[in-house]
Amino acid sequence: MRTYYINNGKENGGPFTLSELKNQLIDKSTLIWFEGMDEWKYATEVPELQPLIIPISPTIKTETTPKITTQEEASKKRFRIKKSYYYLGLLFLAIFGAVLILNTIQTNKQKELELLNKETQFSNVKIEIQQKESNEDKIQREIQKRIQSQNDAKRKRDSITLRIEEVKTLITQNKATLATINKDLENAKEYKILRSEDSKEEQINILQEKINNSNKTIDKLDNELNRLFLLLETIH
């Protein structure tokens, strides 16, 4: 809902809703401002406030036409005419003074309005500058955050890549060891001189256990290598 601020020439009032303005005795010289206006305006310049403006009733003048019946009455008439001219002159002076006062008031209001407009413009510029500074700070923080994120990602990639190379080396070493054990197992099965059957069986079992352990180690390293490659793909 739109709210209005008013200025009666001395001080500001508000905010008021449209219904609350009915109780504020708004006339054609009242200044109005609401959000979205570039500057203060008179109430007569705001269409929706036209029904709320209090009209100033003009002075009702009554004139009587005296009748001249005698010379004395004619003399009194001339006196009244001179007196009327005197009052008319006073009325003109009063009107002239009132016009000067109204012009002075109008000029002061105009100066106050210009001052209010300048203060509003200054406040808007200040808010705009603060907003720009805030946006620049946000941009800088976002840049620092992205740089930090990229650095963290690079460290993770480097660490994972290093571990991948280590695991590859371990797999190669274990496969070489497995090949040697398999060869020893074949020799143990064929070699029969200077040993009993029990000794042969024991040696075969030992070699078979080593083969099993090497296969388990290689499988474990293969699984770790696969996990490292998948993890590496998720880092951007």
Side-chain angles (χ1 to χ4, degrees):
M1 178 183 293
R2 177 178 292 175
T3 56
Y4 302 82
Y5 294 84
I6 64 174
N7 182 283
N8 60 7
K10 295 181 179 179
E11 60 183 9
N12 294 338
F16 301 107
T17 63
L18 189 60
S19 60
E20 290 173 344
L21 284 178
K22 296 179 180 179
N23 302 322
Q24 299 304 315
L25 302 179
I26 297 174
D27 59 30
K28 63 181 182 180
S29 63
T30 302
L31 292 172
I32 300 293
W33 183 88
F34 55 83
E35 187 175 359
M37 293 178 62
D38 295 332
E39 59 184 16
W40 291 75
K41 292 184 177 180
Y42 291 104
T44 54
E45 298 176 288
V46 182
E48 64 265 27
L49 301 184
Q50 299 300 317
L52 306 182
I53 297 175
I54 300 174
I56 301 175
S57 301
T59 303
I60 300 175
K61 296 181 180 180
T62 58
E63 296 181 0
T64 57
T65 304
K67 296 181 179 180
I68 301 175
T69 57
T70 63
Q71 184 176 358
E72 183 179 352
E73 289 177 347
S75 176
K76 289 180 179 180
K77 181 179 178 181
R78 287 194 297 271
F79 176 75
R80 285 196 297 268
I81 291 174
K82 290 180 180 180
K83 193 174 181 180
S84 298
Y85 285 150
Y86 172 75
Y87 286 127
L88 186 59
L90 290 178
L91 179 61
F92 282 139
L93 287 176
I95 293 173
F96 181 73
V99 170
L100 288 178
I101 293 173
L102 288 175
N103 287 336
T104 302
I105 293 174
Q106 186 71 20
T107 302
N108 291 335
K109 284 187 176 181
Q110 188 65 33
K111 289 181 180 179
E112 291 177 1
L113 183 59
E114 291 176 357
L115 181 60
L116 287 172
N117 290 335
K118 288 181 180 179
E119 291 177 352
T120 302
Q121 291 175 358
F122 176 77
S123 178
N124 292 337
V125 171
K126 185 177 179 181
I127 292 173
E128 185 178 353
I129 292 173
Q130 290 175 346
Q131 186 65 36
K132 287 182 179 180
E133 291 176 350
S134 176
N135 290 338
E136 289 177 358
D137 290 340
K138 289 180 181 178
I139 291 172
Q140 290 298 325
R141 287 196 297 270
E142 184 64 25
I143 291 174
Q144 292 298 327
K145 184 178 179 181
R146 290 186 180 181
I147 292 174
Q148 183 65 36
S149 177
Q150 291 174 354
N151 291 337
D152 292 343
K154 184 178 184 301
R155 284 194 293 269
K156 288 182 180 179
R157 286 195 300 269
D158 293 343
S159 176
I160 293 172
T161 301
L162 179 61
R163 180 57 184 168
I164 287 174
E165 296 302 322
E166 292 176 352
V167 171
K168 285 181 178 179
T169 301
L170 290 173
I171 290 174
T172 301
Q173 292 174 352
N174 277 274
K175 285 183 177 181
T177 301
L178 180 61
T180 300
I181 296 173
N182 281 322
K183 187 175 180 180
D184 291 341
L185 180 61
E186 292 177 0
N187 292 333
K189 289 179 179 180
E190 296 176 357
Y191 187 66
K192 297 180 180 181
I193 301 174
L194 299 178
R195 64 175 179 169
S196 65
E197 192 65 28
D198 292 338
S199 176
K200 175 182 177 182
E201 186 67 24
E202 181 181 359
Q203 186 179 9
I204 291 173
N205 289 336
I206 292 173
L207 291 172
Q208 189 64 52
E209 183 67 23
K210 288 183 178 180
I211 290 172
N212 292 336
N213 290 335
S214 293
N215 283 327
K216 290 179 180 179
T217 300
I218 292 171
D219 289 341
K220 184 178 180 180
L221 291 172
D222 282 335
N223 290 332
E224 182 181 358
L225 187 62
N226 291 330
R227 288 196 301 271
L228 290 171
F229 278 124
L230 291 175
L231 182 60
L232 189 63
E233 291 178 357
T234 62
I235 299 175
H236 301 287

